[in-house]
Structure formats: structure tokens, C-alpha cells
Amino acid sequence: MTLYDIFMLPLEQIALKRIRKELLAKAYGNVLEIGYGTGVNFKHYHPTEIEHIYALDKKIHLLNARKMKYTVELFEGSAEELPFEDETFDTVVETLVFCNVEDVKESIAEIWRVLKPGGIFIFIDHAKPEKKQLVSIFESFNGLWHDMAGGCNLLNESHKEIEKSEFFLVERGKSNNGVLQWGIGRKT
Ligand SMILES: C[S@@+](CC[C@H](N)C(=O)[O-])C[C@H]1O[C@@H](n2cnc3c(N)ncnc32)[C@H](O)[C@@H]1O
């Protein structure tokens, strides 16, 4: 467990686990998960709905295959330049990755490109708080956090880019303070 995991543990237990479970149950068919990390999402997919999981990360993390209920194929690559053909996937998943990527707009365009028409994009992100009092705390902590958590930006607002994109949001949720943002977009 990394320092990042230790810091994220309360958030994971209080809210993230439930949101992951709810949203990832909707994944189906050929699934691309971007930034799979330690594979925390894999236990939430429903094996009867999934054909195959393609898991991509900036750097390959080896996973314990014995724990998997379905085949997972690992790829090294970047969200901004996905190494897949147009209209390949039924579902693309990104959880807590957009806080790290350099070009969120380009990543969203890439997700749109590799999704089949009618396919869904499931996202969960943390973001800059909506409450002023919290913003200054996040601002003062962001530099240290950025170094400690592999380039993670606590003040990112990637959900706004998703809202501005061509995705039709069929589900949308956020925590009271706006720190967690999640939803499902459909490629129409
Ligand atoms: C904070 S972890 C999130 C892991 C997991 N998705 C979760 O929900 O806990 C971010 C992951 O995204 C990966 N990542 C960062 N930038 C990326 C990029 N541009 N393209 C693909 N993966 C990236 C990191 O290597 C890391 O594994």
C-alpha cells in the first residue's frame, strides 16, 4: 500500500466504494479501463455482462490473475493517445485518473473515438471543492500532494470538460462539497 492509498482510504471507505459498485455494475461488453492502477475496480464488474477487459495504464502494474473472474489484458499507454481502433469498445472506464492526465480534453476526445456509437463512458473523479473554505485548504496542500501522489492535481475540474463534451450524460452525481464527481456519458 502506497502513501497515496493510505490517504485515500477514508474516502474509499466512506463514499468511493459505493459509487464504484453502483456505476461499474453498468459496464458491459468489451471494456477499456484507463489508469487501472492496482486494479481496485475489477471486483466490481459483473462477469455475466463483460466480454473482455482491456486495462491500460501509463505504466504496467502486474495484477494477481487468480483473483480475476474474467480475462484482463494489460496495455501500456496514455489516455491522450489510446492505442486502439475507432469504435472498439462498449464501455470505457476512468476512475481517479483525470486528476493526473496532462490533457483532459484530448483524453475525452480519445475516449469518444474508441467507443462504439451508443457506448458508455463511466467516470469518477475528485475535483476542486465547491466550498470556498475548502478551496484554500486544498490550494495550500496541492503542491505537496502533487509530489507525493505522482502528479495528482487536487484542484482539477475535469468534470467540467466532460460536461462540455459531446457525451450525453445519462447519470450524474457529486458529493456535497463537490470533491467527488461521477457519472455515465453515452456516445450518441
Ligand atoms: C490515482 S491512480 C487511480 C487508480 C484506479 N483507477 C482507482 O480508481 O483507484 C491513477 C492511475 O492513472 C495512471 N495514469 C496517470 N496518467 C495517465 C495517463 N495519461 N494515461 C493512462 N494512465 C494514467 C497512473 O499510472 C495510475 O495508475
Side-chain angles (χ1 to χ4, degrees), residues 119-137:
I120 57 169
F121 168 37
I122 298 176
F123 64 92
I124 306 173
D125 288 299
H126 67 77
K128 181 177 172 177
E130 287 169 358
K131 298 210 162 109
K132 272 190 190 147
Q133 308 92 300
L134 273 181
V135 173
S136 46
I137 298 173

Side-chain angles (χ1 to χ4, degrees), residues 4 20 35 37 40 57-58 61 77-80 95-97 100-101:
Y4 172 86
R20 288 185 201 274
V40 65
D57 204 291
K58 219 164 67 171
H61 305 261
S78 159
E80 292 97 329
T95 66
L96 310 181
V97 181
N100 279 276
V101 308

Side-chain angles (χ1 to χ4, degrees), residues 4-20:
Y4 172 86
D5 294 324
I6 294 165
F7 272 89
M8 290 300 282
L9 201 60
L11 200 58
E12 186 71 43
Q13 293 305 332
I14 295 164
L16 271 172
K17 211 168 163 179
R18 176 187 60 78
I19 302 163
R20 288 185 201 274

Side-chain angles (χ1 to χ4, degrees), residues 98-140:
F98 277 180
C99 55
N100 279 276
V101 308
E102 275 170 32
D103 194 336
V104 171
K105 242 178 169 169
E106 191 54 41
S107 305
I108 295 169
E110 276 294 87
I111 291 169
W112 179 273
R113 181 183 69 73
V114 300
L115 269 174
K116 296 176 187 170
I120 57 169
F121 168 37
I122 298 176
F123 64 92
I124 306 173
D125 288 299
H126 67 77
K128 181 177 172 177
E130 287 169 358
K131 298 210 162 109
K132 272 190 190 147
Q133 308 92 300
L134 273 181
V135 173
S136 46
I137 298 173
F138 273 50
E139 276 171 350
S140 58

